[in-house]
Amino acid sequence: MTRVLVIDDEVPILRALKINLTARKYDVSTAADGASGLAAMARERPDVLILDLGLPDMDGTDVIRGVRGWSSTPIIVLSAWGQESQKVAALDAGADDYVTKPFGMDELLARLRAAVRRASPAPDEPVIATGEFTVDLADKRVTRAGADVRLTPTEWQLLEVLARNADRLVTQRQLLSEVWGPGYQNEANYLRVYMASLRRKLEPDPSAPRYLLTEPGMGYRFRP
Amino acid sequence: MTRVLVIDDEVPILRALKINLTARKYDVSTAADGASGLAAMARERPDVLILDLGLPDMDGTDVIRGVRGWSSTPIIVLSAWGQESQKVAALDAGADDYVTKPFGMDELLARLRAAVRRASPAPDEPVIATGEFTVDLADKRVTRAGADVRLTPTEWQLLEVLARNADRLVTQRQLLSEVWGPGYQNEANYLRVYMASLRRKLEPDPSAPRYLLTEPGMGYRFRP
DNA sequence: CCACTGCGTTAAGAACGCATCAAGATCACG
DNA sequence: CGTGATCTTGATGCGTTCTTAACGCAGTGG
């Protein structure tokens, strides 16, 4: 399901968007100001961002630049009628499109479809390499000794979270919540089962892991 | 120098665009109706097309479709104020952007820059070849053993998405969303039916696919 | 020295995903 | 308006993956 993040401080617009987009099978989350919007972008990695330029705490173009610094997620800007220069600045800051308020829902939906369609050739994501194997986030592919390693979906999700946080300690709660969902934070068993499976497929000596490390009592760490 | 083709039947607009764009170092050519516009597209292969929807001889969306049939050149549409449904139709037909008349030249220039920038990441439309068949993205044609393979529209769309992401895992969500639309992301059945059909037409041994691979639980991958 | 806790390992049934087939609905075309 | 192609939808069988529970082991603290 396509995930959309809406950053807007006007409650009626937020509600209207949420209702209409949800009805069209989009997965909608919201933020009411620029700061929490940027945080939500990093946390949720939506497929599209809909951004109102008139935010209380930040200039809209700064939000765009904040996002463009690390992500090429399509951005559709909402702006009040007549603010020509603002729109131009937004587009030049890296926005993909804009819609003038008041806008028709059909138009927004069409632009949304167009933005998602254009973005589909996925942006570049890094390849993380260890002495034993490599993890290609974009291709969703793991290679070891020249050959692809077959991972099950759950195995891959787990490895992906660890790889995206390479060298950082990832807590059990975070892993469980990101791979299985927020309701599974006590099922530490799952982690053991799947870490064992990953080690069996990736570590030279699964019983003495060199790359997928356990931090007792805390969580796990991926050391490339 | 960026080449722009303007298709518009209103002389004042045509003149204004020509002057302004030329001053900005664009290489501008013009056409006054849909038919000669399509001819000019094929002949001159501009980098961007600016298209007025209100042409005397053809419906604007038909012009767009005529172009999209063989080219992914960015299209910016000009339309009169208030013609919501027309804009939506234009965007869905494959237009990249639109500007409402009367428009400010600054705005048009910003959208022009944005369109060119988006397109610049090499819209390479190569011919992708495997040991068994070749896929020509530009001609929308698949050849196997020297002969054209007849694909239905849906089959082609599916193959095209996979081919554009060659070697990359494409998730079911992405495939469903790009081929059938954002509302179909749970209809994984469609994928199975059409992948089976593609394999029947393209794979030497459809039950042991070599090029159209299944990644269980995740999606599909096209390996040229 | 012994219970307790957290981690790794294994195994088995349940649940799920995929391929395939077939038939009804719908569309495009003459 | 009829016909053939294409798309949608449901059902079936099979293999894989997930979930769950049990057990062993090491470290820790009583």
Side-chain angles (χ1 to χ4, degrees), chain A residues 12-34:
Chain A
I13 293 187
L14 219 48
R15 262 216 345 227
L17 285 175
K18 176 126 193 170
I19 291 172
N20 276 285
L21 294 178
T22 304
R24 259 73 171 198
K25 310 291 183 201
Y26 289 91
D27 186 0
V28 183
S29 59
T30 59
D33 57 66

Side-chain angles (χ1 to χ4, degrees), chain A residues 120-136:
Chain A
S120 56
D124 45 4
E125 296 195 78
V127 177
I128 296 149
T130 72
E132 183 74 16
F133 57 92
T134 64
V135 182
D136 188 327

Side-chain angles (χ1 to χ4, degrees), chain B:
Chain B
M1 189 183 288
T2 308
R3 288 165 306 152
V4 184
L5 172 63
V6 183
I7 308 181
D8 198 325
D9 63 318
E10 296 171 63
V11 177
I13 293 187
L14 220 47
R15 260 216 346 229
L17 283 175
K18 177 126 192 167
I19 292 170
N20 275 285
L21 293 178
T22 305
R24 259 77 171 197
K25 309 292 181 201
Y26 289 92
D27 185 1
V28 183
S29 60
T30 59
D33 56 68
S36 59
L38 284 172
M41 273 300 291
R43 188 176 57 247
E44 302 175 8
R45 307 247 170 186
D47 301 302
V48 195
L49 169 62
I50 298 178
L51 171 68
D52 193 323
L53 285 186
L55 294 176
D57 64 331
M58 298 176 60
D59 185 70
T61 57
D62 289 335
V63 178
I64 295 170
R65 269 183 283 269
V67 173
R68 277 288 171 269
W70 58 274
S71 160
S72 62
T73 305
I75 301 176
I76 298 177
V77 159
L78 306 180
S79 75
W81 185 86
Q83 311 194 355
E84 283 296 308
S85 59
Q86 219 185 32
K87 295 180 202 166
V88 173
L91 288 171
D92 278 338
D96 290 73
D97 207 343
Y98 75 70
V99 180
T100 305
K101 292 187 290 189
F103 54 86
M105 193 52 64
D106 282 346
E107 174 181 349
L108 181 67
L109 288 167
R111 289 186 177 280
L112 206 56
R113 284 194 295 275
V116 172
R117 167 159 43 85
R118 276 198 302 263
S120 60
D124 48 357
E125 305 242 310
V127 178
I128 295 154
T130 73
E132 183 74 16
F133 57 92
T134 64
V135 183
D136 188 328
L137 260 5
D139 284 6
K140 292 201 188 303
R141 162 174 294 186
V142 181
T143 311
R144 183 187 183 190
D148 279 9
V149 180
R150 248 190 76 67
L151 297 185
T152 72
T154 310
E155 286 165 1
W156 169 259
Q157 279 193 273
L158 185 56
L159 180 62
E160 177 169 0
V161 176
L162 287 167
R164 286 193 194 284
N165 294 282
D167 265 330
R168 189 169 300 167
L169 171 65
V170 189
T171 64
Q172 305 196 355
R173 279 182 27 176
Q174 189 178 345
L175 287 170
L176 286 165
S177 155
E178 293 206 30
V179 176
W180 281 271
Y184 288 74
Q185 307 198 356
N186 296 323
E187 306 286 356
N189 244 333
Y190 294 7
L191 285 181
R192 302 199 191 103
V193 172
Y194 278 90
M195 284 301 299
S197 167
L198 276 178
R199 284 169 175 160
R200 233 188 340 268
K201 293 184 178 179
L202 298 178
E203 291 276 358
D205 178 3
S207 61
R210 298 179 49 190
Y211 308 108
L212 299 165
L213 309 180
T214 303
E215 300 274 351
M218 317 210 20
Y220 294 88
R221 187 193 304 271
F222 176 45
R223 187 180 58 189

Side-chain angles (χ1 to χ4, degrees), chain A residues 150 152 154 180 190 193-194:
Chain A
R150 250 189 66 69
T152 73
T154 311
W180 280 271
Y190 294 6
V193 172
Y194 279 91

Side-chain angles (χ1 to χ4, degrees), chain A residues 129-208:
Chain A
T130 72
E132 183 74 16
F133 57 92
T134 64
V135 182
D136 188 327
L137 261 9
D139 288 8
K140 290 199 194 308
R141 163 175 287 180
V142 181
T143 311
R144 183 187 183 190
D148 281 7
V149 179
R150 250 189 66 69
L151 298 185
T152 73
T154 311
E155 286 164 3
W156 169 260
Q157 279 193 274
L158 186 56
L159 180 62
E160 178 170 0
V161 176
L162 288 168
R164 285 194 194 284
N165 295 282
D167 270 329
R168 268 203 294 270
L169 170 65
V170 189
T171 64
Q172 303 196 354
R173 291 172 60 86
Q174 188 178 345
L175 286 170
L176 286 165
S177 153
E178 292 207 31
V179 176
W180 280 271
Y184 289 72
Q185 306 196 356
N186 296 323
E187 305 286 358
N189 240 336
Y190 294 6
L191 284 181
R192 300 195 196 106
V193 172
Y194 279 91
M195 284 301 298
S197 169
L198 276 179
R199 284 169 174 159
R200 210 173 315 123
K201 292 184 178 179
L202 299 178
E203 291 276 359
D205 178 2
S207 60

Side-chain angles (χ1 to χ4, degrees), chain A residues 4 45 51-52 56 65-66 75 82 84 89 93 99 104-105 114 125 145 155 165 196 199 202 214 219 223:
Chain A
V4 184
R45 309 240 170 191
L51 171 69
D52 193 324
R65 268 183 283 270
I75 301 176
E84 283 300 306
V99 180
M105 193 52 64
E125 296 195 78
E155 286 164 3
N165 295 282
R199 284 169 174 159
L202 299 178
T214 303
R223 188 179 59 189

